[in-house]
Every structure is written in C-alpha cells, then in structure tokens.
Amino acid sequence: MAQDVHADRAVATAHFADRLAEQVERKRSQLVVGLDPRPDLLPVELKGDAHLGREHAADACARFCRGLVDAVAPYVVAVKPQVAFFEALGADGVRALEDVAEYARLAGLLVIADGKRADVPSTARAYAAAYLEPRAQASVRGSGPVEGDWGNREVPPARDALAPLVDALTINPYLGRDALEPFLHACRRHGAGAFCLVKTSNAGGADVQDLALSDGRPVWQAVAALVADWGDDLVGDHGLSSLGAVVGATHPRAVGEARRLMPKAVLLLPGVGAQGATPADVARAFTSGPASALVTVSRSVIYAFRTVGAEWRQAASAEAARLKREVWAVSGW
Amino acid sequence: MAQDVHADRAVATAHFADRLAEQVERKRSQLVVGLDPRPDLLPVELKGDAHLGREHAADACARFCRGLVDAVAPYVVAVKPQVAFFEALGADGVRALEDVAEYARLAGLLVIADGKRADVPSTARAYAAAYLEPRAQASVRGSGPVEGDWGNREVPPARDALAPLVDALTINPYLGRDALEPFLHACRRHGAGAFCLVKTSNAGGADVQDLALSDGRPVWQAVAALVADWGDDLVGDHGLSSLGAVVGATHPRAVGEARRLMPKAVLLLPGVGAQGATPADVARAFTSGPASALVTVSRSVIYAFRTVGAEWRQAASAEAARLKREVWAVSGW
C-alpha cells in the first residue's frame, strides 16, 4: 500500500500537460467525460435507497461514477467530476468525490475537478491545498506536519502524504492573477494543471465576457491574453502549458480565436452534446498539437441510457467510443 | 425536534435582506466575522490531535469556530465561514462546516457562506441546492422526494426537510445572469441571500475588474450595474435587495461609486483589518440605510489572541466589540 501511494506521488509530480499529451497520444483520444451525478437521473437499479437521505444518495452517485469510469476508461484521457453535484450532497457527497477521484486515478485516468474556484490569495491557497497539493493521511498517527498548513510557510508534504485529490482544477479569472497564483504554484511544484474560464458555453456568459473594451476586444479576449501570459512559464516538453483554458464549443468562431490568442494552452471545450455543439465545431482547436484541446462531454454520455434504452454502462461506453473516434478524426491527427 | 426544524424553515422563508435589516437594527451592528479556520494557527489548546490527520484537524477547526461564535455573537449580525478552509480538510472539513453553520444559526446569527460559486445554469442549480435550499434529512426513512433533485422539475421540499445550510452565499459574476439565476431563484423562493463579487479587495482584482470598457467605465462598474438590475425584483420591505455585492474596503473611492451604482444592494465589505482598510474608509457605504452595508473582518478578530496575548475567545470578543462600535459610529446611524 505504502508503495502504491509513493508511485502515485511520483506520477503526480511530472508536468501536467506532458502527462496529458502522453495519454492523448497513447489512447488516440482527446475526450473527457464529465461526471455529473444527479440522484434523480440515476439508473433505477442504483437509485435503490437514494431516496432515504443524502448518505444513501451519495453512495448511489459514487457507484454510478465508478461504473462510468469502468465503462469509458478505454476511450477517454480524463474524467471531469463536477464538484457542485457532489457538494449538493454535503459531506457525504464530498466523501463520494474523494472515492470517485481515487477510483479514476487507479483506472489510469487523469482527473479534472470542475469547481471553477477562485478567491483572494490567502484563501485561494486553501483551495489549491484542497485539490492540487499532496494531502495528509486521514487520521493516521505521525503523519508529519499539521494538516492544512496552507499559510505563508512552505511545508514539505508528509512522508506518507496521499496524492493530490485531483490532477487539475477549473478556475475563474475574475479575481485576477494574484488570486490564481496558488494554483499556478501547484502546477509548478506538484505537477498539477488548471483550466481558467475564458469564454463559457452558456448564453449568459456574454453578459460580462462580451462587454466591449476600449481597444475593441471583448473582455474574454483580454482574459485569453492574460491566461496565455500567466501560463507562459508552465510550458512542458510537448509545447503545452499546464494552465489551460475553458472555451465553450457552442461558440465555434471563439474557439478559433482562442486558439490564436493562447497558442500553448490546452483548450477544454464543453458544450458538445446536450448543449448543442458538434465535434466539427471545434476542429480548429487542435492546431497546436493532438493534446492541445480536449472535448468534454457529460450528459449525452453518462445519461445515454435514458435515450437509447441500453444498459447504462454499455450506453455510456458506446457513446464515448463513438465520440472519441469522431473527435480524433476532426482533430486531423 | 420536528417543531424546531419547522421553526427554522419558517424563519428561512422570510426575505433575506429584511431579516438582515431587523438584526442590524436590533443589535446596532453591521459587523460580520469571517470564520477562516487554519489548523496551523489554532490556539495551542485546540491544536491537540490536529496534527494526527484531517478528521482531528476538522474537529479542532469546528471547536475553534463554535468558540468564536459564542465569543462574537453579541456583537455581530452574521458569521461568514470561508468555504475554502473547510474544503481543504475534505469531507471531514465539510462536516465541520455543516456543524458550525448549524451552531451559528442556533446562536441567532445569519450565516453567509463565502464560496464565490458560479457555474453554467444546470450546474449552478446544484450549488444553489447545496447552500441555499432546504435539504433532505441525512439518511432518514421516508423523507419524501429524492435528495438532490435539482433538475428542471420543481419539487416541494420534504416535510421534514432541514433548513438550508446557510442564509446567503457569495457568487461570481463572470458567467453572467443565467448562471446566477438558480441563486436568485433561491432568494425569491426560500428567503435566501446572495452577494455577487463586484470589486474585490485583492490587488490582482484590477487585472480583469479594472479593464477599461469602450464607454469609459471599468469592467467592475458594468458588473455593478448588472447586479443592480438582477437584484431589482428582490427588494424587501426595508428597501434593500437580497442580492448584495462584494466591494473591497481597500478601495474607498470604489465603495462610494458602488453605493451610487447599486443603491438597493447590501454591500459586503471585506478588507478591514489584516488587509489594511479602516472603518472610516467605508463610511459612505451606509447611505442607503443602517443595513445597507456590512463590514466583514476575519483574521484581525479570530486570530487576535496571537497578537494581543489574551485568551483566544476573550481576544476575539474584545476586538469584535470594538469594531462593532467603530463601524456603527462611522455609519452615521
């Protein structure tokens, strides 16, 4: 067991974008499946006791996500648990997230927590600790420094520290560079990754992101330039930065412009499937290399059984396999 | 017990800004104390087993926060747990947050979760459910609808539902109106409150918030106008909206401008104390009524014992009492 933990840690310290690029090339996949477990939509065989309270609901969600990991692992490079759906089940839900993240890691997948976190610097350090830094063992005697010492002092991780909860986290740029520095620090020091919101897939994103600046650019393009700058010292051997960017596939022209503004960023592209975009809409995202963009699909894969009528794991597996091939084809690699 | 729960729910359905205004006038206080529990900074008597792992650390943080609630309750209208510091301790930390929120509620305080959440609409609904909507009982038989049914359907809360986790939540505007609608819905339907980031207290906030728009305004002023608009149908009997705004006290001129742009918003003002601002810097925030602004102070109150050398609860209590009087005096009410 101790050996496994140390092996995990060795992996986790390698450069995030390099680890990602190796996975993409090995699997010939740029697909990420989002894990958005909603108790009301679970397969009937898993619902079971879910109506009896949040502990049961969290267990059912964890079983659902583990089954999905098994089903899609051959076709995806990463899973993207949406933190909100776990958080909605309280502490039991967060326990389920910890369980699912560990399970996906053991299945050889990268894990991108979709939390869209950001806060002032002293607080952002706690979010970086929560997601991207080695964690102290839960309640194990003699585990070294005080857990959660995310203050100003640098503390080496305990010898028997667990791997970070996830490999990468989505973050929000509204609070600026200093608020994101703790996440960038985790990229530099712990081999973590981060994906900064730039142009989101929802219609309302335009309210702030499309405001016109005095130089004629919309706000999101200025944010894209900032993200390119902030990630410039995080570029690995594959020419890609560990600071990526979230750009909605629902805005095909913006995807091309984002590629131009952030040539070294891995673009995380939501919006294909339930939100209406197709893989063809994002083809130009891949011009910086096979791993320079990731298509992330959630509902249309994980709830495929609700429309196609097949067994839930088979339905997810088939849809992931189909999307993986389709995305790889449009990527031109 | 069932009666207490129902009493809680009755309170929670009243209009948030009205509940706040009544508290402010009754206590003659516009002070909020932030609960930022950092295991490495706890009083030595609480550290105890905190170094033995996250479960012990979370317990120690919960004890610290409960002690602070007792110490500051006479002088504050609300506590503001910073979610990041709980989340950094994983599921055990979230359990501690649930415990502390319940404790503060029973002490008669409003609870503002500082989570700075936002996501696309289908996901934001899960965050609203996590923080601002009545929750199903944990693992209680026959508790009604499936827990976490935050889909498109409207589901009445279970008869024995618990009160929402907190009274209000801080939110981030970058994803626009549709992403915040689930929080506004909770304001309308469940008596919740929300505070939208407008101009944050950190220096880096300028990176995005101070970008110049084509009409000459900085981005944050356009966001302020949006927040005023979004909160316009949430105004209660005291003339204040349940959608408030976060404006850093570290920018005194911006505070005055924010007051003008959002005349009905409750301004949540961080930055006094450790970040360098003083109550005098925010005096003009109060011109829309005694409850139209809240000064939120964290480190300089909760860790006061580290500088003044007194017992930790006494130190926090004394500092809260002093700030409460000072803020009330500058507010001019």
Side-chain angles (χ1 to χ4, degrees), chain A:
Chain A
M1 179 57 187
Q3 252 182 338
D4 286 348
V5 168
H6 287 159
D8 267 354
R9 286 185 57 210
V11 171
T13 14
H15 186 275
F16 172 75
D18 285 339
R19 288 190 284 145
L20 175 68
E22 284 151 26
Q23 286 269 49
V24 165
E25 289 169 25
R26 187 170 64 78
K27 284 189 164 170
R28 298 172 65 86
S29 171
Q30 301 115 332
L31 187 65
V32 173
V33 163
L35 303 176
D36 298 11
R38 288 174 39 178
D40 55 319
L41 297 183
L42 294 185
V44 68
E45 77 211 65
L46 290 183
K47 274 188 175 165
D49 297 334
H51 66 287
L52 297 181
R54 40 172 52 189
E55 189 181 339
H56 289 104
D59 282 351
C61 287
R63 286 202 305 277
F64 180 54
C65 292
R66 288 196 303 263
L68 289 169
V69 166
D70 292 339
V72 305
Y75 313 112
V76 306
V77 289
V79 286
K80 181 179 71 63
Q82 170 48 260
V83 180
F85 292 103
F86 296 90
E87 209 164 303
L89 295 169
D92 295 312
V94 174
R95 187 87 63 200
L97 172 63
E98 293 168 351
D99 174 53
V100 169
E102 174 75 5
Y103 192 84
R105 179 193 301 276
L106 292 173
L109 301 179
L110 295 171
V111 182
I112 303 167
D114 198 355
K116 301 188 173 67
R117 298 298 196 254
D119 212 304
V120 297
S122 59
T123 302
R125 279 200 290 271
Y127 280 129
Y131 291 95
L132 302 179
E133 295 176 5
R135 297 164 295 157
Q137 287 274 17
S139 308
V140 169
R141 290 202 166 262
S143 62
V146 174
E147 162 76 17
D149 191 343
W150 42 79
N152 292 309
R153 287 179 296 129
E154 277 288 337
V155 177
R159 271 200 325 139
D160 54 353
L162 295 174
L165 178 62
V166 294
D167 297 286
L169 176 69
T170 58
I171 57 180
N172 183 311
Y174 192 71
L175 291 97
R177 162 73 192 243
D178 64 3
L180 302 186
E181 174 53 32
F183 305 108
L184 305 180
H185 177 79
C187 293
R188 278 190 292 270
R189 180 141 187 270
H190 301 294
F195 293 90
C196 186
L197 298 184
V198 171
K199 172 87 176 133
T200 59
S201 59
N202 60 315
D207 292 341
V208 175
Q209 296 158 32
D210 287 0
L211 290 171
L213 296 175
S214 57
D215 60 11
R217 292 179 299 172
V219 164
W220 76 263
Q221 289 188 14
V223 171
L226 289 170
V227 168
D229 180 43
W230 298 339
D232 202 46
D233 69 336
L234 297 171
V235 177
D237 297 339
H238 289 71
L240 295 169
S241 175
S242 289
L243 177 61
V246 178
V247 180
T250 44
H251 314 290
R253 271 191 302 188
V255 170
E257 188 61 21
R259 177 74 293 158
R260 195 184 65 74
L261 292 168
M262 299 175 286
K264 297 169 185 169
V266 178
L267 303 184
L268 186 66
L269 306 162
V272 169
Q275 291 180 69
T278 68
D281 289 329
V282 297
R284 67 192 99 183
F286 294 94
T287 52
S288 293
S292 64
L294 299 170
V295 170
T296 173
V297 183
S298 304
R299 284 169 277 176
S300 66
V301 168
I302 70 175
Y303 298 118
F305 72 94
R306 296 175 65 91
T307 45
V308 305
E311 195 274 340
W312 59 279
R313 279 160 296 212
Q314 285 170 6
S317 189
E319 182 63 5
R322 187 185 71 74
L323 280 166
K324 171 225 182 214
R325 287 191 301 271
E326 196 176 337
V327 173
W328 188 263
V330 302
S331 80
W333 294 93

Side-chain angles (χ1 to χ4, degrees), chain B residues 264-330:
Chain B
K264 297 169 186 168
V266 178
L267 303 184
L268 186 66
L269 306 162
V272 170
Q275 290 180 71
T278 67
D281 290 328
V282 297
R284 68 192 99 183
F286 294 94
T287 51
S288 293
S292 65
L294 300 170
V295 169
T296 172
V297 182
S298 304
R299 284 170 278 176
S300 66
V301 168
I302 69 175
Y303 298 118
F305 71 95
R306 295 175 66 91
T307 45
V308 304
E311 196 273 340
W312 59 279
R313 279 161 296 213
Q314 285 170 6
S317 188
E319 182 63 5
R322 187 186 72 75
L323 281 166
K324 173 226 179 208
R325 286 191 302 271
E326 196 176 336
V327 173
W328 188 264
V330 302

